[in-house]
Amino acid sequence: MDRFVIQGGRRLEGTVRINGSKNASLPLMAAALLTDQPVTLRGVPDLADIGNMRRLLGELGVEIAGGPAGDGRAETLRVTDDSESHARYDIVRTMRASICVLGPLLAARGRARVSMPGGCAIGDRPVDLHLRGMEALGAEIELDGGDIIARAPGGRLRGDTIFLGGAFGSTVLGTANVMSAATLAEGTTVIESAACEPEIVDLARLLTAMGAKIEGAGSPRVTVHGVEKLGGADHAVLPDRIEAATYMCAAAITNGVLTLEDCPLDCLLSVTDRLEAVGVRVECVDGNADPLRCAVRVAADRVLKPIEVTTQPHPGFPTDVQAQLMALLCLADGNSVVTEKIFPERFLHVAELSRMGARLFRQGNTVVVSGVRTLKGAPVMASDLRASAGLVLAGLAAEGTTTVNRVYHLDRGYERMEERLAAVGAVIERAGESA
Ligand code: EPZ
């Protein structure tokens, strides 16, 4: 297993181009199951999770031409065989987001067999709301041998009004599943307490381009008028707001200056609000030509101020940036309070940051971060995708050498992070596991 070896203390300076969003790309790719026409996606990132989704869709009869590493990063997906509708355990267990094929499969083929995704490092990750949503659309659901077996009586789902809030207010992939499935259902579907994440808006853009009739995407109430058939489309993937936020924190924690190109600043207002409270200046430098793809300059005050932050569904502060911000707050001048409301167990980075000299005090889903003057490099263990990113950021700022082990977690959501950081001044290399 690969690890990163980082010599800390270098200021980052230069330009980073933000890639297409992983969390947008996965449901966008699954949407290709809804039609027999070609769907072209531009800007799909070259990530492990994307590779897993390509493998899964291949088994579901989708041919994929081109690919993230190809020219223009365009890939064209087309269903050529709809006989197999089983998303197998050994793929789903490596990427629980595979659940986002459930809605499209059920809507397009009237049947689906999807392995129940297990939990992961940040929580047990139930899918009860996904199943409630499918049942509300008329599907018959049973569980057998760890698989969800779903069937649409008469081969077609039927629209209905669905409250998708559950205990947490909203579910991103649950909303993606229900919205996608409703596009081909008979009649109208109203999704109440839908997720408002930008990735849902991007999915609605693609579905609309394919001929779907959707109103209110990005708001808590989404209305879908079912149609008989969907066509193909050509869609540019929304840039990755979480990747952009991660590099903003990288500039700040190294007291550097980074320009981020293709930054979806309009999706990051809660992040820039908190960063500005810390003393990080984020300014658009291209006249906000396209607020979803603009150039921003990020620089921080030398003395970082402590803050309070609570993760919330969008437009609140994203849980996927919690670990990265915590790493930054370890060096703030005072005590910060970080509260995690989405995944209350999402603190695997706390013990590792403490190994680097951070002073962190956890009580349940809240961590008090007592700022220190310096972090000390140490060997640390990556656990989940974003915790790993937080450890890399801490390593960039720490005195001495930090080794981040098991960076395969990082490769799931960040494309060649070590190369992109090195290109703006970091001393970081990827090494194979020591013998
Ligand atoms: C998406 O996961 C993202 N993944 C996650 O990003 C992100 O952390 C999460 O949304 C929250 O923003 C992708 O988009 C691929 P949820 P998702 O359903 O949709 C509970 C990353 O690092 N819940 O919005 O699976 C759940 O336990 C990843 O890129 C139920 O109770 O998250 C959680 O507490 C990690 N029942 C809350 O809702 C359900 O049926 C929000 O989860 C579904 C969810």
Side-chain angles (χ1 to χ4, degrees):
M1 281 181 274
D2 287 356
R3 56 201 163 98
F4 281 171
V5 181
I6 305 167
Q7 304 303 331
R10 271 70 175 186
R11 297 179 71 244
L12 299 188
E13 290 199 57
T15 298
V16 176
R17 178 176 293 281
I18 301 304
N19 283 328
S21 162
K22 164 181 85 80
N23 290 353
S25 296
L26 295 170
L28 291 173
M29 292 169 75
L33 292 163
L34 290 165
T35 177
D36 57 10
Q37 296 303 302
V39 173
T40 295
L41 301 176
R42 298 178 189 282
V44 175
D46 185 10
L47 300 170
D49 273 8
I50 299 298
N52 277 323
M53 180 57 89
R54 289 161 68 90
R55 191 156 62 97
L56 171 58
L57 291 174
E59 291 194 5
L60 297 173
V62 178
E63 264 184 25
I64 302 179
D71 57 323
R73 294 168 169 270
E75 64 178 34
T76 298
L77 302 92
R78 182 166 197 171
V79 173
T80 54
D81 173 3
D82 64 359
S83 58
E84 181 51 69
S85 296
H86 182 189
R88 293 184 301 109
Y89 174 64
D90 72 352
I91 295 187
V92 177
R93 71 186 169 88
T94 58
M95 184 185 65
R96 60 170 308 286
S98 309
I99 190 71
C100 70
V101 302
L102 174 63
L105 275 179
L106 199 45
R109 303 182 186 177
R111 67 191 188 284
R113 183 178 185 122
V114 179
S115 170
M116 282 282 273
C120 69
I122 62 176
D124 57 12
R125 312 295 295 274
V127 292
D128 56 310
L129 298 176
H130 296 247
L131 303 184
R132 272 169 50 186
M134 294 303 113
E135 285 174 331
L137 291 174
E140 290 167 0
I141 304 268
E142 59 173 309
L143 300 183
D144 179 32
D147 287 349
I148 299 162
I149 300 170
R151 214 173 53 76
R156 190 175 185 193
L157 297 170
R158 66 175 195 296
D160 202 340
T161 294
I162 304 167
F163 177 74
L164 211 50
F168 292 89
S170 60
T171 162
V172 177
L173 288 183
T175 301
N177 256 331
V178 173
M179 185 170 73
S180 298
T183 59
L184 290 176
E186 190 173 350
T188 294
T189 297
V190 174
I191 307 172
E192 183 70 321
S193 201
C196 303
E197 270 66 10
E199 292 75 28
I200 294 298
V201 177
D202 204 39
L203 176 60
R205 277 197 203 100
L206 169 64
L207 294 170
T208 302
M210 292 165 68
K213 299 194 180 332
I214 300 173
E215 295 144 21
S219 81
R221 172 169 285 208
V222 177
T223 301
V224 184
H225 305 285
V227 295
E228 297 285 329
K229 223 168 136 57
L230 290 177
D234 187 319
H235 179 79
V237 175
L238 174 74
D240 195 318
R241 62 191 169 104
I242 308 303
E243 182 183 75
T246 304
Y247 283 105
M248 289 179 181
C249 293
I253 204 168
T254 61
N255 195 34
V257 180
L258 283 182
T259 297
L260 305 185
E261 293 182 342
D262 280 349
C263 177
L265 193 56
D266 195 44
C267 306
L268 285 163
L269 302 186
S270 60
V271 171
T272 52
D273 169 76
R274 291 295 78 204
L275 286 177
E276 277 155 16
V278 173
V280 183
R281 291 176 306 286
V282 180
E283 51 197 0
C284 191
V285 293
D286 69 352
N288 224 353
D290 174 354
L292 292 180
R293 287 174 175 78
C294 53
V296 299
R297 181 179 177 279
V298 185
D301 297 341
R302 181 162 291 283
V303 177
L304 303 174
K305 295 182 279 294
I307 60 165
E308 288 187 69
V309 61
T310 299
T311 65
Q312 302 279 2
H314 193 78
F317 189 87
T319 174
D320 293 348
V321 185
Q322 181 254 107
Q324 301 92 309
L325 180 65
M326 186 182 290
L328 180 61
L329 295 175
C330 289
L331 294 171
D333 182 22
N335 295 337
S336 298
V337 182
V338 178
T339 301
E340 172 58 62
K341 289 267 192 181
I342 309 296
F343 297 112
E345 293 306 312
R346 194 173 200 171
F347 288 129
L348 289 167
H349 43 288
V350 169
E352 299 304 306
L353 289 170
S354 302
R355 287 176 46 75
M356 299 175 71
R359 287 169 50 79
L360 306 170
F361 308 94
R362 178 181 174 186
Q363 284 289 330
N365 68 341
T366 292
V367 171
V368 173
V369 183
S370 180
V372 294
R373 293 186 59 74
T374 58
L375 293 172
K376 299 270 188 301
V380 290
M381 190 68 74
S383 52
D384 75 281
L385 166 56
R386 308 302 175 181
S388 317
L391 297 178
V392 171
L393 298 184
L396 291 174
E399 283 177 356
T401 304
T402 297
T403 302
V404 181
N405 294 295
R406 298 187 181 171
V407 289
Y408 64 85
H409 289 290
L410 207 75
D411 292 336
R412 298 189 52 180
Y414 294 93
E415 202 178 297
R416 292 187 296 281
M417 192 184 211
E418 78 280 13
E419 292 174 19
R420 298 164 80 200
L421 287 172
V424 290
V427 178
I428 178 173
E429 62 174 7
R430 182 185 290 258
E433 192 72 45
S434 50

